[in-house]
Amino acid sequence: MTAAEALDKILVRWKPKAAARHSPEYIEGFIRRNRDALERAVARAMMLRRMKRGAPPKTPDEFEVYAKLVARERPKDQEPDADVIKRIMRRMDKLLARDKGPAGQEAALALGVEFADIRAEAILLRRAGWDAVPLLLRRPALAIVRENAVVAVRDSAKALHVNLPEFGEKLNADLGQVQGHVAQLRDGIADAARLDRYANALWTRARAATAPASPAREFETPADLRGSPGGLRRTSRRCASSCPKSQATSRPRICKRSRSTRAGAACRSKTSRRCCRPASRPSRSASSTSTTRRRRSPRRSSRRCARSCRSSPATTASSARSSRARGSAG
């Protein structure tokens, strides 16, 4: 229907109402003088009605109308998912009020599923660098915005209508990948017959697919473990080479003789194979160690003295003279 045909239908209903205040001659003259302006107003009203129903744009004026729809729908898209689902339910109820039969129920469910898919596509397109806004119209659509101007519209038939040709090729490729990705995300959704659960699951999966990967955790190496000359790592290797018990654990060892993890020379001593112990055990105090050494030192010295006295030549000669003296006396 053209604007002129639509204007004629409007005038048929308008003339009887205007005749109560104006004469028929004045009404006919007013229509004759302003016919062109009236047709332009009717054409714009018809265009706005088509765009609000989700019709694809074809002229620059129609893309401007979609820009106004984007300004209205963008804040609503940023609401929580529960509020968005309530908006979808209200739109479905309007369709069911017009047709409560099976056809109306199927059309209402198709509208809800279509908008859920379009919103998931918008989430994925934003990851690719596009400013995508889903539009909840009578036939849902997806608008691509650049510098506050709508450059493309994806209608309910999944057809892309581009206002600026330089964005068409790349946008068409990205949109094809996104639609395939949404088809994969739909697989395996439980209770897909319920729109609220289907939409929540689909949008959650889309956001999870666009979330950046968590970086690997980095741990700072302590200063004494960075392999510096004379550090703990080098000392523990020396201790492991001399002490068999330290080879069974990766913990740093503490030398009993020097009470320090940096005493590599003490760990190489052959006096004891138990010179090292794990660093986690509490070390004895220096006072107790010195007392223990003082207690054991006399015993060690007496034993060494006894061995040296039995084996010395002076002790052997004196014992021989005493034996000869006892023999002569007898």
Side-chain angles (χ1 to χ4, degrees):
M1 181 183 298
T2 62
E5 295 173 352
L7 179 61
D8 292 338
K9 290 185 177 182
I10 294 173
L11 292 177
V12 170
R13 292 179 294 178
W14 177 74
K15 286 181 180 180
K17 295 179 181 180
R21 293 178 296 176
H22 305 284
S23 63
E25 293 80 6
Y26 178 82
I27 294 174
E28 293 296 334
F30 174 81
I31 295 174
R32 186 173 55 257
R33 293 190 302 270
N34 300 283
R35 179 81 184 188
D36 294 340
L38 292 174
E39 288 183 358
R40 289 195 298 270
V42 171
R44 183 168 181 79
M46 293 174 62
M47 180 188 64
L48 292 175
R49 188 178 183 182
R50 290 197 309 270
M51 299 302 104
K52 290 181 179 180
R53 290 183 175 183
K58 298 179 181 179
T59 63
D61 293 338
E62 293 178 350
F63 277 99
E64 291 181 1
V65 173
Y66 263 97
K68 296 181 180 180
L69 295 177
V70 167
R72 185 191 70 182
E73 294 291 327
R74 187 191 292 274
K76 298 178 180 179
D77 179 60
Q78 297 174 355
E79 296 177 351
D81 293 346
D83 296 340
V84 176
I85 292 175
K86 289 180 182 179
R87 290 177 51 224
I88 300 175
M89 293 296 184
R90 288 196 295 267
R91 178 73 65 171
M92 294 171 63
D93 292 340
K94 290 182 179 179
L95 293 179
L96 290 174
R98 298 174 182 175
D99 187 1
K100 297 181 180 181
Q105 295 178 1
E106 184 178 356
L109 182 60
L111 180 143
V113 173
E114 179 66 22
F115 184 76
D117 294 346
I118 287 180
R119 193 165 188 246
E121 292 176 4
I123 294 173
L124 296 176
L125 280 174
R126 293 183 193 124
R127 181 187 180 184
W130 298 98
D131 185 9
V133 180
L135 305 177
L136 183 57
L137 309 175
R138 180 175 294 186
R139 287 177 291 177
L142 177 65
I144 309 299
V145 183
R146 189 177 182 87
E147 296 179 356
N148 298 326
V150 177
V151 298
V153 175
R154 180 265 205 204
D155 59 10
S156 58
K158 296 184 178 181
L160 185 63
H161 306 271
V162 183
N163 187 23
L164 300 178
E166 57 267 22
F167 299 105
E169 184 176 357
K170 187 178 186 305
L171 179 58
N172 198 6
D174 292 345
L175 186 59
Q177 294 179 0
V178 165
Q179 290 175 354
H181 196 178
V182 171
Q184 295 177 0
L185 296 177
R186 285 200 305 260
D187 296 339
I189 295 180
D191 297 334
R194 293 189 54 176
L195 177 65
D196 53 348
R197 296 184 180 181
Y198 171 78
N200 277 321
L202 183 61
W203 298 339
T204 301
R205 292 184 179 186
R207 292 190 183 99
T210 57
S214 58
R217 298 181 62 184
E218 297 181 358
F219 299 93
E220 182 179 359
T221 306
D224 55 349
L225 294 177
R226 294 176 184 172
S228 58
L232 179 60
R233 185 176 299 176
R234 187 173 180 181
T235 305
S236 61
R237 292 176 182 174
R238 292 178 179 177
C239 184
S241 63
S242 60
C243 300
K245 290 185 68 175
S246 63
Q247 297 178 2
T249 178
S250 60
R251 294 181 297 177
R253 318 292 290 190
I254 297 179
C255 184
K256 291 182 179 179
R257 299 174 64 87
S258 61
R259 301 295 171 186
S260 174
T261 56
R262 298 180 181 270
C267 293
R268 290 197 297 270
S269 63
K270 298 181 180 180
T271 59
S272 174
R273 285 185 172 271
R274 296 184 179 181
C275 64
C276 293
R277 59 183 176 82
S280 60
R281 298 180 183 176
S283 60
R284 293 182 297 178
S285 60
S287 60
S288 62
T289 306
S290 60
T291 305
T292 305
R293 289 180 180 175
R294 283 198 300 269
R295 289 177 181 176
R296 294 181 181 179
S297 58
R299 186 179 299 177
R300 291 181 182 177
S301 60
S302 61
R303 290 178 182 176
R304 292 176 182 175
C305 184
R307 287 195 298 268
S308 62
C309 291
R310 285 195 296 269
S311 60
S312 61
T315 305
T316 306
S318 61
S319 60
R321 285 196 299 269
S322 61
S323 62
R324 284 196 298 273
R326 284 196 299 273
S328 60

